[in-house]
Amino acid sequence: MKRAQVLMIAATLLLLTAVSTLLFSQSKVKFDQPVLITSAGQSADVTIAGMLFKKANVQARAISLAKASDLEGIKTLVVVAGFSSKGLGAAGISREQELDRVKSLLAAAQEKKLKIVTFHLGGKARRGNQSDDFNKMAAEVSSYLLVVKQGNEDQFFSKLAAEKKIAIELVDKIADAVQPLAKMFEK
Amino acid sequence: MERHHIVALCLLIVVAVVCTLAGREFLKMHEPDEIIPGQGVTKIENLSTYFGALAGMSSDTKVYILDSGRPGATALVLGGTHPNEPAGFMTAVVLTEHASAREGRLIVIPQVCGSGFTCTDPLEGYPQSFSVQSKSKMRTFRFGARGSNPLTEWPDPLVFLQYPSGQQLSGNEVRNLNRSYPGRPDGTVTERIAFAVMQLIERENVDIAFDLHEAAPEIPIINAIVTHEKGKDAAASALFTLESENLQYALEMSPPNFHGLSHREWGDRSPVFPYLMETSNPIQGRLRGKTNEALVVQGVDQKYYEAAQIGSMRITYNLEGEPLARRVGRHLRGVQALLGAYMESMPEKRIVVDNVPAYEQILERGIGEYLH
């Protein structure tokens, strides 16, 4: 293959990557209301997500321990991923019980063909072995990931998004998530 | 006198000298630290004012009241729940020596577990004290133990039955103030301290309270705000404020079924909005290297740096370490942000505290700049 052809292919690939990143980062993926917010790992980041929805003027109901029956009438399921031992203690459940709950909830949402979104807001504090089972479980069945960059320093979410062809928005700070969130639900 | 008598006498003298020096060091831990009230302090009480049985004991401690004279909310700041977590009590010392209330009242107890300041934890190799250069002199503060002095309530039971929940914890937790709330008047020394704090909260009509802590850098709950469910919206709002200033915090909920903790029992048993805050303190961690005064103050540890390099840390840790000034700065800013968020949710209950050094100021100038 000639050098010019190699350069051409490389340039095309680069362009395609840039365009797809731009499209994804512009939150072109649209979602409908009503929205249910739940946790995967029982961190208090659900409360933060609730506040983001308020700031973005998007109606959403938050149930940290949501079950399949709570999906009735819901169009978008937002899963706030990240493990918290205190949160599990507060919920009175074990990590295994939480993994089972999240797994069944996600399966039910997929069966109902709901759109699933994963939020990862807690940065490094919500990474590591305990959290990553929840992060992966939720992210890989999502159609959109909204991630605070500090939690993606090792490209955990970016790699997963590229592999599964999932749209991803990386924000510097939690507060920066308001704008893409509002765009997600723009009519 | 025969030769062996002389040798024995010499040995006895050496032993006596060693014992005297060790005894002096031991007794030094019972000498109270100098805390110099600033102009903002309008009244000084003892914790025994709220529960008389503490009077004259090592567990009694000073309570500093900064009253604006204007109506508003009352905030309580506790440092020294765990006396081996110096950023907690040094934050309270800075508030006592430098802050003033413009609206409402601030009550500060820098060394709430007075008994725990009279010893260090065995086998940890902790220094007995650390020093900070203030504007006028070198200030030395004791570095204590996690719990009350075992001499005050020896021996620990095999299993600690938390009162009144009946929750079972390991025996040494019987001396942990932050497992002992609400306490009881006829309980252990630690339960009596907890009881006195509950009495203070009730009698002073405290609206919002802070329990300032530190934890090992490798555990998940560091740089965190732990909240009772009633305070979670204000905590989330404060977290946004802090994040906008590049101070990352994790929000953690207080488990309702884990009893004896300040953020649980204060919130369940009084109208107070309770918050516990944690910074990251390398001297408490298992990965630490040399354990000395420099580690308390500068927070630089090569082993933690190496751990960060291999991705084993949940915080960013570089060769600047986690200095005491940064940890105190975080606590001070956290308290201010939570007070602000509290006022947003309770506009009729205002509390404004002035002369609290900003995070950047304390980083740049050090803690000593704000001590007498």
Side-chain angles (χ1 to χ4, degrees):
Chain A
M1 199 180 287
K2 285 181 185 171
R3 191 162 173 248
Q5 284 175 307
V6 174
L7 280 174
M8 184 69 81
I9 291 166
T12 312
L13 281 174
L14 202 67
L15 190 68
L16 280 173
T17 310
V19 168
S20 61
T21 307
L22 191 68
L23 284 174
F24 288 154
S25 69
Q26 291 300 312
S27 303
K28 290 291 180 194
V29 191
K30 294 293 174 195
F31 297 88
D32 299 315
Q33 299 182 51
V35 180
L36 176 69
I37 309 171
T38 193
S39 171
Q42 292 304 310
S43 78
D45 296 348
V46 167
T47 305
I48 310 280
M51 199 156 276
L52 287 172
F53 272 83
K54 265 188 202 163
K55 284 178 188 277
N57 281 322
V58 178
Q59 294 279 324
R61 187 174 166 222
I63 305 176
S64 290
L65 288 166
K67 301 181 294 290
S69 56
D70 295 313
L71 296 175
E72 204 56 51
I74 295 298
K75 296 224 170 120
T76 302
L77 175 67
V78 174
V79 183
V80 185
F83 170 85
S84 163
S85 55
K86 281 206 187 293
L88 283 178
I93 57 171
S94 68
R95 186 171 177 275
E96 286 64 37
Q97 286 171 315
E98 175 67 349
L99 281 164
D100 288 345
R101 181 192 69 84
V102 176
K103 197 173 174 184
S104 342
L105 182 71
L106 292 171
Q110 284 179 297
E111 198 175 304
K112 286 175 180 286
K113 301 202 185 322
L114 301 188
K115 281 189 178 166
I116 302 171
V117 175
T118 292
F119 280 15
H120 189 269
L121 306 174
K124 281 187 179 180
R126 307 288 183 219
R127 289 292 316 281
N129 294 341
Q130 299 271 51
S131 280
D132 284 348
D133 287 344
F134 292 103
N135 294 335
K136 187 166 185 284
M137 185 186 280
E140 63 189 6
V141 296
S142 295
S143 43
Y144 186 70
L145 310 180
L146 187 51
V147 177
V148 173
K149 277 180 187 168
Q150 201 206 41
N152 189 50
E153 280 179 359
D154 58 353
Q155 309 295 310
F156 176 87
F157 289 102
S158 299
K159 282 180 192 164
L160 201 142
E163 191 186 310
K164 304 270 179 190
K165 297 185 174 53
I166 302 167
I168 183 168
E169 178 80 35
L170 296 168
V171 292
D172 287 324
K173 293 176 184 173
I174 298 173
D176 297 339
V178 175
Q179 206 183 357
L181 174 54
K183 279 189 176 172
M184 282 166 61
F185 293 93
E186 252 175 14
K187 298 281 180 206
Chain B
M1 194 182 282
E2 290 183 32
R3 193 167 173 266
H4 67 273
H5 287 136
I6 296 168
V7 171
L9 191 62
C10 289
L11 281 173
L12 272 176
I13 291 169
V14 169
V15 168
V17 169
V18 169
C19 286
T20 305
L21 291 175
R24 278 178 59 186
E25 287 302 308
F26 180 82
L27 291 173
K28 255 191 204 171
M29 292 295 278
H30 288 264
E31 293 169 15
D33 296 321
E34 185 185 34
I35 296 174
I36 305 164
Q39 290 181 345
V41 175
T42 51
K43 194 176 175 189
I44 303 173
E45 296 280 10
N46 288 310
L47 192 55
S48 56
T49 307
Y50 303 91
F51 178 50
L54 296 183
M57 296 171 70
S58 64
S59 46
D60 199 5
T61 191
K62 296 284 181 203
V63 176
Y64 300 90
I65 300 173
L66 290 73
D67 193 342
S68 68
R70 297 176 63 188
T74 296
L76 171 67
V77 174
L78 292 194
T81 291
H82 294 149
N84 63 338
E85 298 170 12
F89 65 83
M90 287 309 294
T91 302
V93 172
V94 169
L95 287 170
T96 304
E97 299 202 2
H98 203 262
S100 56
R102 184 164 23 118
E103 290 182 64
R105 271 195 319 167
L106 176 67
I107 300 175
V108 187
I109 312 180
Q111 297 180 318
V112 66
C113 185
S115 167
F117 280 89
T118 61
C119 62
T120 54
D121 286 316
L123 304 176
E124 292 285 357
Y126 285 154
Q128 281 191 209
S129 62
F130 61 94
S131 299
V132 175
Q133 178 66 52
S134 78
K135 281 183 285 191
S136 59
K137 58 182 172 179
M138 190 62 88
R139 301 278 301 273
T140 299
F141 298 91
R142 288 170 295 169
F143 185 97
R146 178 173 167 82
S148 299
N149 191 326
L151 293 177
T152 60
E153 50 183 271
W154 188 85
D156 292 347
L158 283 176
V159 177
F160 164 39
L161 287 179
Q162 204 275 340
Y163 175 83
S165 67
Q167 174 180 275
Q168 295 189 357
L169 295 163
S170 67
N172 63 333
E173 291 287 59
V174 74
R175 290 180 287 105
N176 183 346
L177 178 57
N178 203 28
R179 300 293 181 275
S180 299
Y181 291 105
R184 51 183 157 177
D186 56 350
T188 62
V189 166
T190 315
E191 285 175 323
R192 290 176 191 199
I193 299 171
F195 181 77
V197 173
M198 293 302 296
Q199 293 293 301
L200 182 153
I201 288 172
E202 188 183 329
R203 278 170 52 182
E204 298 291 353
N205 296 314
V206 175
D207 298 290
I208 175 169
F210 303 91
D211 189 9
L212 304 180
H213 286 251
E214 297 203 86
E218 65 268 31
I219 76 158
I221 302 169
I222 45 170
N223 293 342
I225 297 171
V226 185
T227 177
H228 189 274
E229 51 272 20
K230 65 183 168 187
K232 70 176 182 179
D233 288 341
S237 173
L239 192 135
F240 274 100
T241 305
L242 292 163
E243 203 211 22
S244 70
E245 299 165 13
N246 292 320
L247 290 171
Q248 308 285 336
Y249 281 78
L251 184 60
E252 298 287 348
M253 295 304 297
S254 169
N257 46 0
F258 191 0
H259 294 285
L261 293 116
S262 54
H263 45 80
R264 173 50 43 199
E265 306 298 339
W266 296 355
D268 282 357
R269 293 167 191 276
S270 76
V272 79
F273 274 48
Y275 297 102
L276 183 148
M277 291 198 290
E278 298 274 10
T279 55
S280 162
N281 179 9
I283 206 167
Q284 285 180 261
R286 298 296 104 192
L287 307 181
R288 71 177 188 264
K290 201 170 180 182
T291 304
N292 54 20
E293 191 183 338
L295 187 55
V296 179
V297 179
Q298 290 152 19
V300 177
D301 190 299
Q302 180 67 26
K303 296 294 173 196
Y304 274 106
Y305 177 67
E306 288 167 20
Q309 295 304 298
I310 57 169
S312 297
M313 302 278 285
R314 305 277 177 85
I315 56 164
T316 302
Y317 189 93
N318 55 33
L319 287 173
E320 283 177 18
E322 282 285 292
L324 184 60
R326 182 187 295 165
R327 285 138 52 201
V328 168
R330 283 189 78 96
H331 273 331
L332 287 169
R333 189 63 200 108
V335 168
Q336 286 283 68
L338 282 160
L339 288 178
Y342 176 78
M343 282 190 287
E344 276 173 24
S345 61
M346 301 270 182
E348 73 285 3
K349 292 208 163 189
R350 290 187 57 76
I351 171 152
V352 180
V353 183
D354 287 336
N355 300 319
V356 178
Y359 178 72
E360 294 76 15
Q361 280 179 321
I362 210 157
L363 269 191
E364 189 185 323
R365 298 177 193 171
I367 299 167
E369 180 73 18
Y370 304 97
L371 299 177
H372 291 289

